Amino acid sequence: MKILVVGSGGREHAIVWKLAQSPKAEKIYCAPGNAGIAQLAECVPIAATDIEKLADFASQQSIDLTVVGMDDPLMLGIVDEFEKRGLRVFGPRADAAIIEGSKVFSKNLMKKYGIPTAGYWEFADAESAKNFLKRHKTYPIVLKADGLALGKGVLICQNEQEALAGVDEIMVDKKFGQAGAQMVIEEFLEGQEVSVLSFVDGKTIKTMVSAQDHKRAFDHDQGLNTGGMGTFSPSQYYTEQYQKEAEEKIFQKTVDAMAAEGRTFKGILFFGLMLTKDGVKVLEYNARFGDPEAQVVLPRLKGDLVEIVEACIDGRLDQVSIEWEDNAAVCVVLASGGYPVSYQKGFVIEGLDAFKDHQDLLVFHAGTAKNEKGQYITNGGRVLGVVALDTTLEKAIAKVYDHVDEITFDKVFYRHDIGRK
Ligand code: AMP
Ligand code: GLY
């Protein structure tokens, strides 16, 4: 098969790496990809959001299967366009990707179908949001821009003054652009946050092993929110009790709810769960693999990802058995100084060769390129994800930190406490 992967981050490197192990994968393309992905796939210089061009490319090259890694093209209707042209593609259509693309939609869906989530209020203008806040007495409280905002449209406010300023940021100053045309204000939840990803074929759902993300830039959860500074899998907090509860109240119910709404969901459905003392609640849905969750989950998947993806597309996921390694994985992200605010690009990366022949030590590239001398250079804020696998979480943590310093570049930084939630 000729396979096309859409995206350019560490997540897409992990997806390409896993697809490449399939005996069915003859040739893999990635648009636009990065320098690490180029070791396994032919990178094609088409932006992930340039849907027309991607569909033209897939037609011209007779691509047998396209896997969409990123959220934006899904929301823009890449799956609809590919299907219209008779191209085989894995991911939700735009009318189902809205489960990630609109917080107002996803909160209303959960309310309508009785899926546990934080209590909330929705607003279409700043004045009514502010009037609500002036009457509200419980803090902290959470403000969310309705639409996609690179994971940044969420403000946790400690008091009324902060919350009023937050409404201005979202709805008046439009700091997150059109994403702030509507907003949700919701109850603040306390607990451990766990990511559970799943394969969905429209009716059947099969969840993957759990993971946890470290979102803040620095050790001990200091600094700004980032796209994710590291992950580990499985989560020790996601006990059988919580899993059973989520299976009863959340997973299948969400898939059924989407089908009942006429928005059949096929693809990767990502549940951001909060394990609270009152039970498990949904914080958010994503319509794709997490980044950097994919980097710790996919290496634990036994068997053939191409087969699972095809079963999802064909609606026969119930006939496929999906198995996982009984081990643990940790991913430490190497970032460039200044991330997530502003950072330079183009620093030469040394030490990657040492990681070439390890089965249990992997490097997924997130933001890299090559210079004219053929050296790897930094090309983003999150540069690389170093992943270690071992029999236990403790051993995987020890292994990853034994090796991260072998990779160096100017202004590199990473967290030293990944896996230690
Ligand atoms: P979201 O994009 O909805 O996942 O929000 C981004 C992050 O904000 C989450 O990963 C949580 O860490 C935090 N967050 C979102 N909603 C809440 C909530 N209701 N209570 C506490 N923290 C939240
Ligand atoms: N790591 C969280 C996300 O991919 O949204």
Side-chain angles (χ1 to χ4, degrees), residues 103 107 117-119 140-145 150-156 185-191 193 213 215-216 225 270 272-274 282-286 288:
K103 305 266 188 212
K107 295 298 289 190
T117 187
I141 200 164
V142 185
L143 270 47
K144 297 187 175 184
L150 298 168
K152 293 187 182 112
V154 175
L155 306 174
I156 295 174
I185 298 185
E186 72 177 38
E187 209 184 357
F188 178 78
L189 297 180
E190 271 176 289
E193 220 179 307
D213 188 3
K215 291 203 161 104
R216 300 294 197 98
N225 256 326
F270 168 141
L273 301 176
M274 190 71 108
V282 177
L283 269 187
E284 64 160 344
Y285 294 111
N286 293 315
R288 44 149 182 99

Side-chain angles (χ1 to χ4, degrees), residues 11 71 100 195 213 215 227-228 231 270 284 286 288-293 382:
R11 164 183 52 207
D71 41 14
E100 170 170 4
S195 304
D213 188 3
K215 291 203 161 104
T231 36
F270 168 141
E284 64 160 344
N286 293 315
R288 44 149 182 99
F289 278 105
D291 188 344
E293 280 87 346
R382 287 190 294 175

Side-chain angles (χ1 to χ4, degrees), residues 7-21:
S8 62
R11 164 183 52 207
E12 285 75 21
H13 193 177
I15 294 171
V16 166
W17 171 84
K18 189 64 193 173
L19 292 171
Q21 292 167 15

